[in-house]
Amino acid sequence: MFNCVHHIAIIASDYQKSRAFYTEILGLEIIREVWRAQRQSWKCDIAIGETQIELFSFPTPPSRPTQPEAAGLRHLAFGVESMQDAVEHLKRNNVTCEPVRTDPYTGKLYTFFCDPDGLPLELYQR
């Protein structure tokens, strides 16, 4: 019945800054971008493999209540082939990562970083 994650929606406080982060720094591809006048909101569909991120702008969205243990979605994880290459790429783009750790259950490397709004993001070795 359920066979994939189709999309993940993110509301940005600074749409242009977040759009640049996801497309220019993380290198994700824009599928379409529309201005929704009735909602005073941008919506940008961004591809990551077969999944999409819907990036929204809304006038004055509330801040995330806590970091990272708020109820709801805890974080979004991106699979990477080379942890070292991905971390170095983020550092070159002034994105700070936590120290790389090893998952005690899978033996895979992982680390966390944040988007411009402080949304916790993870790199996870494939």
Side-chain angles (χ1 to χ4, degrees), residues 1-65:
M1 179 187 293
F2 301 100
N3 60 15
C4 70
V5 172
H6 182 268
H7 69 269
I8 298 147
I10 298 172
I11 298 172
S13 64
D14 182 329
Y15 176 76
Q16 294 302 329
K17 186 175 183 178
S18 290
R19 182 184 181 277
F21 177 82
Y22 284 97
T23 61
E24 295 170 21
I25 294 176
L26 298 188
L28 307 183
E29 177 186 348
I30 293 175
I31 301 167
R32 75 189 65 78
E33 184 174 35
V34 297
W35 171 250
R36 303 173 322 150
Q38 74 221 36
R39 301 189 83 181
Q40 297 295 296
S41 171
W42 282 102
K43 178 180 184 277
C44 186
D45 296 326
I46 304 169
I48 176 163
E50 294 184 25
T51 302
Q52 295 177 29
I53 293 176
E54 292 180 338
L55 183 62
F56 291 96
S57 70
F58 286 105
T60 62
S63 297
R64 184 176 172 87

